[in-house]
Amino acid sequence: MPVRVVGIAFAVLGILLFSTKAVFVKLAYQYGVDSISLLLIRMTMALPFYLAIIAIQHRQQEPLTRNDYLFLILFGFMGYYLASYFDFLGLQYIKASVERLILFVYPTLVLVLSFLFLKKKISQRQLMAFALTYIGILIVFVPEVQDGGGENVLLGGALIFLSALTYAGYIVGSGWLIPRFGATRFTSLAMLVSCTMVILHFTLQKQGFEEVVALPNPVYLYGFLMATVSTVIPSYLVSFAIKRLGARDFAIFGSLGPISTSVLAYFFLQEQLTALQVVGALVVIAGIYISEQRRK
């Protein structure tokens, strides 16, 4: 099977599985759990899987420099700690379907970061697509504010945008570091950094683990599903896809995320988008698609 076909399959499946996270988060929030406690449950349940894979993949690979590991720590901090924390905070204020639409502007942010840090040129078509994407976001977002969300909706939207920005930084960094580390090794070590940061954050913010231990059982069930279905499996799929497609080619498949999340939110959270928001979603997806078209 061609390498690109495998990469596309990994990208599509990884994006679809990542999309389930927002639904699990909203379901868990119904039981009164706060964002950092839920993030702690997710990452501590994912941690044993990453440690096991690190142990299995213990053989010596290409020698790495100190800077390689420093960048690994940086992108591990950004990708699944900082981006996840902003995302979990934002989901307290906006619907899962709207969250996913804002979060998946990250392909355009990948484009900008690649230009700023990797000196990759941006075409006029991509600039047009960039503007189109944010017009779509405004179309989606305005009805949410008008429905009485006010400042909370704006705060939630800003937090989700920060999540998209930090995740875009992780994607760009992944495309650069994965060839040096290898996809499995990079993902395992980066996720180990993220898990450690979440545990440290919780320890500094909370007085103890009593609140987490006392949470209802469904919260742990949703946490386990987030750890496995929405974190461990897709994290490796995404890394393998980036290795085969590159960061910018991978980002085009992000447009699948809003669609799958909206469908899941409709069935499991009874969330609905207005006709205007559906139009906005299509504009966002069109902008993302155009931004990632290869220049002939």
Side-chain angles (χ1 to χ4, degrees):
M1 186 178 293
V3 171
R4 184 167 181 81
V5 173
V6 174
I8 290 173
F10 284 163
V12 171
L13 184 57
I15 291 296
L16 294 179
L17 291 178
F18 266 137
S19 299
T20 64
K21 178 192 67 178
V23 175
F24 292 139
V25 170
K26 296 294 280 187
L27 289 171
Y29 278 162
Q30 296 175 358
Y31 295 90
V33 60
D34 62 277
S35 56
I36 187 60
S37 297
L38 185 58
L39 188 56
L40 176 75
I41 293 170
R42 174 200 184 191
M43 299 306 273
T44 52
M45 287 187 172
L47 182 59
F49 293 97
Y50 293 114
L51 290 175
I53 294 173
I54 290 172
I56 293 170
Q57 296 283 325
H58 68 279
R59 63 182 181 278
Q60 185 66 34
Q61 300 183 22
E62 179 183 352
L64 299 167
T65 66
R66 178 183 176 185
N67 284 341
D68 289 330
Y69 283 108
L70 289 176
F71 279 117
L72 170 77
I73 293 171
L74 171 63
F75 294 123
F77 172 82
M78 291 173 60
Y80 290 98
Y81 162 64
L82 205 55
S84 293
Y85 183 57
F86 286 142
D87 188 36
F88 277 50
L89 285 177
L91 276 166
Q92 294 179 104
Y93 305 110
I94 61 176
K95 297 188 295 188
S97 52
V98 175
E99 173 261 3
R100 196 59 22 173
L101 286 167
I102 299 172
L103 187 61
F104 276 89
V105 302
Y106 80 83
T108 61
L109 299 176
V110 168
L111 193 71
V112 173
L113 294 176
S114 296
F115 169 76
L116 292 176
F117 296 101
L118 303 180
K119 308 305 179 184
K120 294 186 177 181
K121 294 182 179 179
I122 302 177
S123 68
Q124 288 185 345
R125 173 190 287 186
Q126 290 170 327
L127 285 173
M128 179 187 70
F130 190 89
L132 188 64
T133 299
Y134 287 91
I135 290 172
I137 289 296
L138 287 176
I139 293 173
V140 170
F141 210 58
V142 167
E144 291 297 308
V145 177
Q146 291 177 337
D147 284 344
E151 293 183 359
N152 284 343
V153 173
L154 293 174
L155 174 59
L159 288 167
I160 300 302
F161 183 82
L162 287 174
S163 177
L165 180 61
T166 49
Y167 186 67
Y170 171 79
I171 292 295
V172 173
S174 298
W176 177 50
L177 284 179
I178 283 174
R180 296 189 59 77
F181 280 84
T184 303
R185 185 184 186 190
F186 171 81
T187 302
S188 302
L189 293 174
M191 293 301 296
L192 180 61
V193 171
S194 300
C195 292
T196 302
M197 292 304 305
V198 170
I199 295 170
L200 179 61
H201 183 158
F202 181 89
T203 303
L204 293 175
Q205 181 173 326
K206 300 285 187 176
Q207 298 298 320
F209 293 87
E210 292 80 8
E211 291 182 15
V212 176
V213 174
L215 288 169
N217 290 333
V219 174
Y220 291 100
L221 172 61
Y222 294 132
F224 178 77
L225 291 173
M226 275 190 287
T228 53
V229 177
S230 308
T231 305
V232 174
I233 298 173
S235 67
Y236 287 108
L237 289 172
V238 165
S239 290
F240 286 127
I242 292 172
K243 180 180 179 180
R244 286 160 174 79
L245 301 176
R248 287 173 33 132
D249 278 359
F250 163 79
I252 187 174
F253 297 98
S255 58
L256 294 171
I259 299 171
S260 59
T261 301
S262 296
V263 172
L264 290 170
Y266 174 81
F267 284 106
F268 293 100
L269 302 175
Q270 287 74 54
E271 291 185 2
Q272 294 184 353
L273 294 176
T274 66
L276 183 61
Q277 288 178 312
V278 171
V279 172
L282 294 175
V283 172
V284 171
I285 293 169
I288 293 170
Y289 180 80
I290 294 172
S291 73
E292 293 302 320
Q293 290 299 292
R294 289 184 171 184
R295 295 178 64 185
K296 294 184 180 179

